[in-house]
Amino acid sequence: YQHVPDFICPYMKRALEKALDGQYNFLSGLVQGYTCDAACGMVNVWKDAVKLEILHSVPIPYNNTPESGTYFKSVLCELIQTLDAIGGNFSESSLSDSLDLYQQIRLLQYQLYQQRYNGKFGFTATEFMTIIDAGCQMFVCKVLRGFAPSDPISPRIFRIHF
């Protein structure tokens, strides 16, 4: 927390702390979407404190106009070029596959939430959040290996030791 002022949210502080502790060593870079002024400023802290191949900020348009759509398309094209420059290989089909993969994870997370809400699982809130975090942070292909979105979720599959 020594790198940022007190008004920075705990989530962003913790992400930086994990990066500085080496917990994100598998990352090649950071792509940050504009969410608030503090988040935009954090890109500069990451640039100074964490060694990554790329740090790229994506400004999101405030308006839904043809001009802002054109602008945002150019921003995304610039991002694609940046990612391709470090070995990425963008294609419409790979983007579609990635979106489908993350949709499967969101569906599994929602199914877990519904089952917990209906009292079918005895997860504590902390255990449930750990499962949700795992789905957001682990390599997604490993998370979904052996699951289909329509499969019922079994408690034994998600038994986690804390």
Side-chain angles (χ1 to χ4, degrees):
Y1 290 113
Q2 66 191 10
H3 296 281
V4 295
D6 290 338
F7 63 83
I8 302 297
C9 73
Y11 175 78
M12 291 191 332
K13 286 181 182 182
R14 183 69 180 130
L16 178 62
E17 183 179 290
K18 285 182 172 186
L20 293 172
D21 286 344
Q23 295 181 41
Y24 295 146
N25 285 345
F26 59 91
L27 293 177
S28 298
L30 173 71
V31 176
Q32 180 263 334
Y34 185 92
T35 54
C36 66
D37 291 340
C40 283
M42 285 293 287
V43 169
N44 295 317
V45 176
W46 277 71
K47 183 185 247 181
D48 291 341
V50 182
K51 301 303 174 215
L52 297 169
E53 287 185 65
I54 65 161
L55 285 149
H56 192 89
S57 187
V58 177
I60 313 279
Y62 291 107
N63 302 313
N64 186 12
T65 64
E67 295 81 12
S68 62
T70 301
Y71 168 74
F72 192 54
K73 182 177 180 180
S74 72
V75 166
L76 294 178
C77 287
E78 180 183 322
L79 173 61
I80 290 167
Q81 289 173 350
T82 301
L83 295 173
D84 283 349
I86 66 162
N89 188 17
F90 176 80
S91 71
E92 293 286 333
S93 64
S94 64
L95 176 61
S96 179
D97 290 347
S98 181
L99 291 171
D100 289 346
L101 193 59
Y102 280 93
Q103 179 60 25
Q104 290 176 39
I105 287 178
R106 286 189 294 276
L107 180 58
L108 286 170
Q109 290 172 335
Y110 182 72
Q111 288 174 350
L112 273 174
Y113 168 78
Q114 287 295 328
Q115 291 185 22
R116 183 178 184 276
Y117 182 80
N118 292 325
K120 294 182 181 178
F121 286 140
F123 294 142
T124 66
T126 300
E127 291 169 332
F128 181 69
M129 194 62 211
T130 299
I131 294 168
I132 298 301
D133 284 346
C136 296
Q137 296 175 10
M138 295 174 63
F139 294 101
V140 293
C141 293
K142 290 181 181 180
V143 173
L144 293 177
R145 186 172 290 137
F147 297 104
S150 60
D151 289 345
I153 297 174
S154 166
R156 66 176 177 73
I157 292 172
F158 287 98
R159 188 53 53 202
I160 294 177
H161 300 284
F162 297 91

